[in-house]
Amino acid sequence: MDLLQIDGVAAGYGNKAVLSDLTLALRPGEVLALLGHNGAGKTTALRTIAGLLPARRGTVTLAGTRVEAMSVAQRQALGLRLLPEGRGIFPDLSVAENLDVVAAANCRGAGDLFGMADVFGLFPVLQERRGVRAGSMSGGQQQMLALSLAILGTPRCLMMDEPSIGLAPNIVARIFELVRDLCVKHAMGVLLVEQNVAAAMKIADRIVIMNNGEIVFAGRPDEARAANVWHYF
Amino acid sequence: MLLLQLLVNGLVTGCALGVVAFSFSLVYSTTKIFHVAHAGVYTLAGYLAWSLARAGMPDIVGLIVVPVVCAGFGVVIQRLLYDPLAQRRATHLVVLIASLGLLAIVQNAIAVLWSPDILHFDSTWRVQTIKLVGVTLNYAQIATVVVSVALYGATLFATRHTGIGKRIRAVASNPFLAELTRLHPRRTYAMVMALASALVAVPGMLVGFDLGLQPYTGTTVLLTGTVAVIAGGVGSLTGAFLVSIVVTVLQNLSLLVMPGQWSVGITFLIFVAFMLVRPRGLFAAA
């Protein structure tokens, strides 16, 4: 069964319709990269799935539960998580406080996929820097913290909006590999929106390319390489 | 000796103002609302305490009950005024005007329901005094200093070390992420309004015990408080509290060299001087 199913979703801002009929499916343990140039509708799609923007039509289903009428918090509690672009941490709090406050709201104890100890296991540097003001860390460390905040508790589907922006290539490679491992190991679904096409192609099982709010290509990375899709970027 | 007395009087008023300032700062840094109606809560608290005292309750009852009532009033303001405005995507200016409007309503309602003239408490706080090295202090003044410093310490501790405090700071730091991580920003805003309204009720009553009550004095108090908030560095409770004391002490000392009607002018002179030296405020985060 599909983990996340988006069926005929329409969304937009004010009079401007960005998505008219988006249909996507994400399987457990799969990384799906959503690509396309600026304004293609990728971020709008993520915002609509997360509940930040209402779907004007269509359905969003997470593991069999219809969520399109739910609030952001309700969807988040079901395991639908969004790592937002560039704003994924609480910059004025220390690293430990960031994790504490999110764990308090999202961790239940023994049944969690990721507790505080698991996060420190994934990113030992966060434990070393636990007393440091989060906003003063390097971009890579901030993104590690942001990813930790997004997965604390029990995530089932992780959406990432441009996670590579402003990061050194080796850091991007490390974070993407880790996400790929977590995805497979825990049968999570990952929906990745990226400008960095090369990096996204490396970890994606499937690629969906959007243009003007519509899907213009869907297939495996090698099919995308073979097909002439480059004019969409 | 006059110098010392003015210094101590400034310290007392400064402590009370400090609580107004840091509680305002708590609301502003979390909700980004310039909550001028805070002055209305401050004023209302004094009148509620006065009525309870009139009804024969000891003052201590007012000191405990009124903050609870004001906390509820704060939640009502958030739920019935600020939340609906936020949902309709009102600009900061619109919210400010709404808050000003609420302040005017509260002040005028107080003038109608109680009295537009000054009201004094019958209690003995004001006439019981002690003398220390030539300085005379009444019980209301002593209570003001002790309670204000305690409230400041407790609030600082709570924001640093309790779950609710961390949540408040997280929402202030990144409300968008707070929504995504289920910290419930709107619930947190209501909590902050409750806390700040309960806090501001205390100096509202203590200053009333000492100097009596007037419906419209709260506006000047809040104006001076916001000066302290900005000069102290927006978001810094310590900055707001300490600068309140410094400004009020300097304001009082200015009485030595110029007439009292200049004191508001002096406040703003100090403000301008602060802003020229440290435009982001004394205790602003780097």
Side-chain angles (χ1 to χ4, degrees):
Chain A
M1 194 180 67
D2 290 328
L3 181 64
L4 178 70
Q5 221 175 320
I6 293 110
D7 236 319
V9 162
Y13 307 88
N15 292 329
K16 191 171 175 281
V18 179
L19 307 174
S20 55
D21 181 18
L22 183 71
T23 296
L24 268 181
L26 181 66
R27 289 182 280 268
E30 179 184 52
V31 178
L32 178 66
L34 198 53
L35 308 176
H37 63 68
N38 273 334
K42 301 166 302 195
T43 296
T44 303
L46 288 197
R47 291 175 58 90
T48 310
I49 299 167
L52 291 163
L53 197 65
R56 293 173 179 177
R57 215 178 39 240
T59 61
V60 179
T61 312
L62 179 73
T65 308
R66 291 268 295 270
V67 301
E68 71 272 3
M70 290 186 183
S71 70
V72 175
Q74 286 170 320
R75 298 183 204 201
Q76 202 269 0
L78 288 176
L80 189 56
R81 305 298 179 83
L82 173 64
L83 173 62
E85 180 190 344
R87 306 187 266 174
I89 62 166
F90 300 107
D92 302 321
L93 273 61
S94 74
V95 171
E97 287 171 338
N98 266 270
L99 294 165
D100 277 348
V101 77
V102 174
N106 293 284
C107 290
R108 278 179 200 83
D112 290 326
L113 214 45
F114 300 101
M116 203 85 107
D118 303 298
V119 163
F120 284 140
L122 293 173
F123 302 112
V125 66
L126 295 182
Q127 185 150 31
E128 285 162 32
R129 312 216 65 187
R130 49 182 303 141
V132 174
R133 195 177 153 269
S136 69
M137 296 196 297
S138 72
Q141 288 167 350
Q142 288 191 24
Q143 196 62 293
M144 291 177 201
L145 178 58
L147 180 58
S148 304
L149 299 183
I151 62 175
L152 272 173
T154 305
R156 308 182 72 169
C157 172
L158 175 64
M159 300 185 282
M160 303 200 287
D161 194 4
E162 310 277 5
S164 78
I165 274 189
L167 301 184
N170 61 329
I171 304 271
V172 174
R174 264 184 57 202
I175 291 181
F176 275 22
E177 254 167 60
L178 186 98
V179 166
R180 152 105 258 158
D181 290 347
L182 294 180
C183 173
V184 173
K185 192 171 159 200
H186 301 291
M188 259 161 53
V190 172
L191 188 54
L192 172 66
V193 160
E194 257 303 339
Q195 297 276 355
N196 186 342
V197 177
M201 288 251 200
K202 265 187 212 154
I203 64 157
D205 298 297
R206 267 189 316 137
I207 305 260
V208 166
I209 300 175
M210 290 181 72
N211 193 29
N212 283 328
E214 285 175 7
I215 293 175
V216 291
F217 173 88
R220 294 194 308 276
D222 54 310
E223 291 169 344
R225 280 188 201 96
N228 188 15
V229 297
W230 303 110
H231 61 276
Y232 291 118
F233 300 107
Chain B
M1 270 314 100
L2 177 61
L3 175 79
L4 204 60
Q5 183 71 52
L6 286 173
L7 199 83
V8 171
N9 287 353
L11 192 74
V12 171
T13 319
C15 281
L17 179 69
V19 177
V20 177
F22 84 70
S23 59
F24 176 86
S25 174
L26 204 59
V27 173
Y28 180 70
S29 58
T30 314
T31 65
K32 306 295 182 278
I33 293 169
F34 208 82
H35 175 43
V36 284
H38 207 43
V41 182
Y42 168 88
T43 309
L44 182 65
Y47 283 87
L48 291 175
W50 186 86
S51 284
L52 283 175
R54 258 305 141 90
M57 302 280 178
D59 290 335
I60 189 74
V61 173
L63 278 170
I64 293 165
V65 171
V66 172
V68 177
V69 175
C70 287
F73 186 41
V75 174
V76 169
I77 297 174
Q78 179 65 33
R79 290 287 193 223
L80 297 187
L81 186 66
Y82 296 152
D83 269 352
L85 284 172
Q87 274 166 357
R88 287 166 180 72
R89 297 175 191 281
T91 61
H92 287 299
L93 188 62
V94 170
V95 179
L96 173 62
I97 305 280
S99 191
L100 265 171
L102 177 63
L103 174 60
I105 291 169
V106 171
Q107 288 179 331
N108 288 313
I110 286 171
V112 171
L113 294 173
W114 280 273
S115 161
D117 303 318
I118 188 160
L119 291 181
H120 280 290
F121 284 84
D122 298 329
S123 57
T124 52
W125 294 71
R126 208 171 161 245
V127 285
Q128 287 178 306
T129 57
I130 53 165
K131 249 177 138 58
L132 270 175
V133 282
V135 178
T136 310
L137 280 170
N138 66 42
Y139 281 21
Q141 290 177 307
I142 296 167
T144 301
V145 174
V146 173
V147 173
S148 298
V149 171
L151 288 179
Y152 161 71
T155 307
L156 198 64
F157 180 85
T159 55
R160 297 263 169 88
H161 301 291
T162 67
I164 290 174
K166 285 179 199 171
R167 175 177 290 216
I168 289 172
R169 283 168 51 230
V171 171
S173 182
N174 187 345
F176 173 68
L177 183 66
E179 176 89 53
L180 286 176
T181 49
R182 218 145 42 96
L183 302 187
H184 301 290
R186 281 186 49 213
R187 222 179 283 170
T188 309
Y189 293 156
M191 227 144 59
V192 168
M193 283 290 283
L195 179 64
S197 303
L199 283 168
V200 83
V202 178
M205 290 181 284
L206 289 172
V207 171
F209 289 151
D210 184 23
L211 303 173
L213 305 165
Q214 279 176 289
Y216 303 102
T217 46
T219 314
T220 315
V221 172
L222 188 79
L223 197 65
T224 318
T226 55
V227 163
V229 169
I230 297 167
V234 173
S236 165
L237 298 185
T238 304
F241 191 66
L242 290 185
V243 174
S244 290
I245 294 173
V246 170
V247 165
T248 319
V249 166
L250 291 177
Q251 211 179 45
N252 266 268
L253 292 183
S254 75
L255 294 174
L256 284 173
V257 289
M258 59 183 77
Q261 62 262 40
W262 283 93
S263 69
V264 175
I266 295 293
T267 308
F268 281 89
L269 198 68
I270 299 168
F271 179 58
V272 171
F274 262 118
M275 288 293 95
L276 286 174
V277 182
R278 286 291 299 261
R280 300 198 50 214
L282 214 51
F283 289 82

